[in-house]
């Protein structure tokens, strides 16, 4: 895997407060910001996004029952070329001594999986859905 960080997802305790902070900090147009009930995404270009996500939900993504000390406060996301590439990366994770948190799964966002490195840091590996 040649890592290319496509998304950095940061865990926050107060989504509104964090959004106000980063909105004031980043020099970005309103049409480059997307929001839902549980997240805010800043789309800087076609290759990089910065996402705010509730810390307790990041804990769930990381396979932890709740956000405790030692729970990762961020998720690094790598965009792979295809679902097959995602699965190949997961095989390498196991060989390297990592742990698969969530195997490759299809969703509305594409095909993705989560893994933990040898130090407990969480990565998402994803492949975008193919255009119709």
């Amino acid at each position: 895997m040649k890592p290319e960080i496509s998304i950095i997802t940061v865990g926050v305790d107060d989504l509104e407060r964090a959004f106000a902070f980063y909105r004031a900090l980043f020099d970005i147009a309103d049409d480059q910001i997307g929001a839902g009930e549980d997240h805010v995404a800043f789309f800087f270009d076609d290759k990089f996004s910065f996402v705010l996500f509730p810390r307790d939900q990041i804990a769930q993504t990381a396979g932890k029952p709740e956000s405790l000390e030692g729970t990762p406060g961020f998720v690094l996301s790598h965009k792979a070329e295809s679902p097959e590439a995602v699965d190949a990366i997961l095989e390498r994770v196991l060989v390297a001594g990592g742990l698969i948190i969530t195997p490759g799964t299809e969703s509305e966002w594409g095909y993705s999986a989560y893994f933990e490195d040898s130090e407990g840091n969480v990565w998402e590996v994803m492949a975008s859905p193919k255009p119709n």
Side-chain angles (χ1 to χ4, degrees):
M1 172 176 140
K2 181 180 176 186
E4 179 178 305
I5 305 301
S6 307
I7 302 170
I8 296 176
T9 302
V10 175
V12 300
D13 294 317
D14 184 326
L15 187 59
E16 255 183 66
R17 181 180 64 208
F19 172 61
F21 173 83
Y22 284 105
R23 181 66 188 102
L25 179 66
F26 295 152
D27 183 18
I28 191 167
D30 289 342
D31 65 348
Q32 291 176 270
I33 300 171
E37 288 183 30
D38 65 351
H39 73 283
V40 175
F42 297 89
F43 302 102
F44 290 95
D45 58 33
D46 290 342
K47 293 190 173 193
F48 179 71
S49 300
F50 182 83
V51 179
L52 305 172
F53 199 63
R55 190 180 315 274
D56 60 338
Q57 291 185 29
I58 285 185
Q60 291 174 6
T61 298
K64 310 293 182 193
E66 58 185 303
S67 182
L68 303 170
E69 186 176 332
T71 299
F74 62 92
V75 174
L76 301 170
S77 299
H78 169 76
K79 191 171 189 177
E81 293 183 19
S82 66
E84 295 78 19
V86 169
D87 291 338
I89 290 168
L90 293 178
E91 289 176 19
R92 292 183 66 181
V93 165
L94 293 175
V95 169
L99 174 70
I100 307 294
I101 298 169
T102 306
T105 307
E106 282 289 341
S107 74
E108 63 184 290
W109 307 104
Y111 186 81
S112 65
Y114 290 88
F115 71 87
E116 193 174 280
D117 71 10
S118 62
E119 302 305 307
N121 298 301
V122 177
W123 283 77
E124 174 189 28
V125 183
M126 61 182 175
S128 296
K130 300 207 187 286
N132 294 330

